[in-house]
Amino acid sequence: MTAAPSIVWFRQDLRLADNPALCRAIAEQAAILPLFILDDESLGERRPGAAQRWWLHHSLASLDQDLRALGSRLILRSGPAERVLQQLVADSGARRLYWNRCYDPESVTRDRAIKSWAKESGLEVETFNALLLMEPWEVKTKEAKSYRVFSPFWRRLREAYSHQSQLQAPRSLSTPEAIASDVLDSWELTPQKPDWAKGFGAVWQPGESGARQRLSDFLDETLSTYKSSRDRPDREATSCLSPHLRFGEVSPRQIWEATQNHLAIKGSDQGAADKFLSEVAWREFSYHLLFNETDLASQPLRPAFAAFPWRQDATGLERWQKGLTGYPIVDAGMRQLWQTGWMHNRVRMLVASFLVKDLLVPWQEGEAWFWDTLVDGDPANNTASWQWVAGCGADAAPYFRIFNPVSQGERFDPEGRYVRNWVPELAELPDRYIHKPWEADPASLAAAGVSLGKSYPERVVDHSVARRQALEAYQQIKKETAA
Ligand code: FAD
């Protein structure tokens, strides 16, 4: 190979299979420089949070190992991406640059500038979609507008999406020896003192092979009960693919294809598969919103909410973050998040509702905590979901629909198994009190070893009072908007 090398810039696509930028580079039959840039500067507030950094470390190690098995390796550099790319071009004489697109505003702005520089410098530059089923600008209403409501978006996506088989991973790759790379450990992406992520490794296997395994286990063992059980946090009823999708270790196209193949071969339940794919489509919808609406991360989609009378409640926020609100299902969720970097979707809705509606803390505070502590913290899903729960986002989630943490717990965790697992100090309480220990008589509390206010906190607020206050706050912005 004598042609100048091609740079393949890995970003939210840490995989070798179904990777259009990598395939394009291979077609050139030149040496390939697989590159990852740790670019905290350009991403600013949206640089990966602490739990994502743990994932990123292991995912990069896995990608490097997979590349080495092909005769290549991952080149690591840090700093503003444009400067890093200029340096790498100078170091290597590369003449081509390929990447798969990101859709968050920070990346879009950065990538536009890099494209202009690359073109002006005479580099060939080409970019691809590897993150979504369809580009966020391709799904349009009849009036050529973007969507604000999920159901018609999903109908349109289903009609318009034309599946193409996934691209194969390469069998070998050649990368010049002389190009310098940072050492992954020097980036200090994993926590040391204290190592709060020490439980993560038992739950997760970051990297492309971990993603493949997770997908095939899910299809074989869980898909058939997905529709009926996906709201049950006490069961292993969902795919847990979210962090793998976040880092692009698996693509939605691969998920689509694997699900359809599974249906064809195993004759599994079409309804379950449809439900699962519709959830994957919620992710598409979030990216559609993120790309088409400005400031999704910081400004409410419904402008009236800019005047909402939020409270500054540092104590309430801290008790929520630590899982010490006195509401067992909320505390269980927040502790699952802290210990594993992930939380069940139903419980995410409950804890988010509790923060914004029971405590009246701005949704941006919750979004920021999730961003820092979730391994799947996603620029589109996190912001769109927080806005949805707060009632200021797209689609119908009216503000006055306020989750009751007791009845939701009793409905979706009926024997309290989820709570007992994550809030072990309540493990011995009888089922009838597990979601409302404050109603237990002193003898039941004593028999279970629970002392309210000591071994487990009293409630930070009374839900029925908090609910009334939230509705009053909502009435206030309604009046102001009408005026
Ligand atoms: P499954 O049920 O197996 O679904 C498969 C995939 O579909 C998921 O991996 C995910 O990519 C997508 N998906 C499922 N549910 C949703 C949803 N409601 N909205 C958007 N996409 C969905 N998801 C993230 O990936 N990152 C986040 O940062 C994130 N923050 C959230 C914050 C709040 C307040 C709420 C209510 C939800 C959030 N979600 C987020 C969405 C959802 O909770 C997770 O995607 C889901 O729990 C991941 O588990 P799973 O992979 O087992 O999902």
Side-chain angles (χ1 to χ4, degrees), residues 226 238-242 245 276 279-280 282-283 286 342-343 345 348-349 352 370 374 376-378 381-382 385-386 389:
Y226 181 79
T238 66
S239 71
C240 292
L241 281 166
S242 49
L245 273 163
F276 175 58
E279 293 304 320
V280 174
W282 268 101
R283 174 178 175 276
S286 300
W342 186 89
M343 194 196 299
N345 178 59
R348 289 187 204 208
M349 293 196 280
F370 268 32
L374 277 171
D376 66 22
D378 183 279
N381 271 356
N382 202 33
S385 302
W386 272 95
V389 175

Side-chain angles (χ1 to χ4, degrees), residues 60 95 111 128 184 195 255 274 288 328 425 440 465 476 479:
L60 292 173
R95 299 311 304 152
D111 294 350
F128 304 86
L184 181 57
D195 179 8
I255 292 179
D274 283 349
H288 183 80
E425 64 268 36
V465 176
Q476 202 173 315
K479 270 190 222 136

Side-chain angles (χ1 to χ4, degrees), residues 88-385:
L88 184 60
V89 166
D91 293 350
S92 65
R95 299 311 304 152
R96 284 170 296 272
L97 173 57
Y98 304 113
W99 72 73
N100 296 313
R101 288 187 275 279
C102 297
Y103 303 97
D104 57 288
E106 293 79 8
S107 300
V108 169
T109 306
R110 175 193 66 186
D111 294 350
R112 278 200 189 122
I114 291 175
K115 214 168 185 180
S116 305
W117 156 76
K119 284 186 172 162
E120 276 163 25
S121 312
L123 295 183
E124 184 186 319
V125 51
E126 233 178 296
T127 68
F128 304 86
N129 168 25
L131 191 67
L132 299 172
L133 293 170
M134 287 180 70
E135 301 282 14
W137 54 84
E138 282 176 342
V139 189
K140 290 276 182 206
T141 65
K142 287 199 181 83
E143 296 76 34
K145 294 199 172 123
S146 57
Y147 284 91
R148 275 280 187 107
V149 179
F150 174 73
S151 303
F153 169 85
W154 174 215
R155 269 198 302 278
R156 182 73 198 118
L157 176 67
R158 279 200 103 136
E159 281 162 16
Y161 177 58
S162 98
H163 183 73
Q164 285 157 4
S165 288
Q166 55 171 293
L167 302 160
Q168 295 302 311
R171 300 215 167 148
S172 69
L173 280 181
S174 119
T175 298
E177 280 297 322
I179 306 297
S181 167
D182 292 352
V183 174
L184 181 57
D185 284 343
S186 73
W187 284 1
E188 297 182 347
L189 295 171
T190 55
Q192 300 299 333
K193 287 180 192 158
D195 179 8
W196 44 260
K198 55 181 179 294
F200 289 16
V203 185
W204 303 109
Q205 189 198 335
E208 190 172 3
S209 61
R212 210 177 302 124
Q213 188 65 49
R214 183 74 77 168
L215 176 58
S216 86
D217 288 351
F218 168 72
L219 293 173
D220 288 341
E221 293 159 19
T222 316
L223 177 67
S224 58
T225 55
Y226 181 79
K227 195 173 172 191
S228 55
S229 296
R230 58 179 284 275
D231 269 324
R232 293 285 300 263
D234 56 340
R235 299 181 180 162
E236 288 184 10
T238 66
S239 71
C240 292
L241 281 166
S242 49
H244 298 289
L245 273 163
R246 159 70 181 96
F247 288 91
E249 297 164 357
V250 62
S251 71
R253 267 195 306 245
Q254 289 174 303
I255 292 179
W256 186 283
E257 186 169 314
T259 308
Q260 301 297 358
N261 288 345
H262 183 85
L263 270 184
I265 296 164
K266 301 268 166 71
S268 184
D269 177 5
Q270 177 80 46
D274 283 349
K275 185 69 196 153
F276 175 58
L277 292 177
S278 79
E279 293 304 320
V280 174
W282 268 101
R283 174 178 175 276
E284 299 276 317
F285 183 54
S286 300
Y287 272 93
H288 183 80
L289 291 174
L290 181 69
F291 186 78
N292 290 302
E293 306 287 343
T294 48
D295 294 336
L296 186 71
S298 56
Q299 298 304 319
L301 274 180
R302 290 167 200 253
F305 273 80
F308 193 85
W310 300 112
R311 284 189 191 151
Q312 290 310 320
D313 177 1
T315 311
L317 177 63
E318 194 184 335
R319 283 181 63 172
W320 178 82
Q321 289 172 337
K322 291 188 168 162
L324 294 173
T325 65
Y327 284 91
I329 191 93
V330 174
D331 294 341
M334 298 310 292
R335 296 187 201 184
Q336 179 182 33
L337 173 61
W338 185 253
Q339 288 174 43
T340 67
W342 186 89
M343 194 196 299
H344 186 276
N345 178 59
R346 167 65 45 181
V347 189
R348 289 187 204 208
M349 293 196 280
L350 297 180
V351 303
S353 172
F354 190 82
L355 185 74
V356 297
K357 294 180 180 170
D358 287 58
L359 299 180
L360 293 177
V361 169
W363 61 268
Q364 291 91 337
E365 297 273 9
E367 197 275 334
W369 182 253
F370 268 32
W371 180 257
D372 206 33
T373 53
L374 277 171
V375 284
D376 66 22
D378 183 279
N381 271 356
N382 202 33
T383 45
S385 302

Side-chain angles (χ1 to χ4, degrees), residues 28 54 61 463:
E28 284 298 324
W54 176 89
H463 174 70

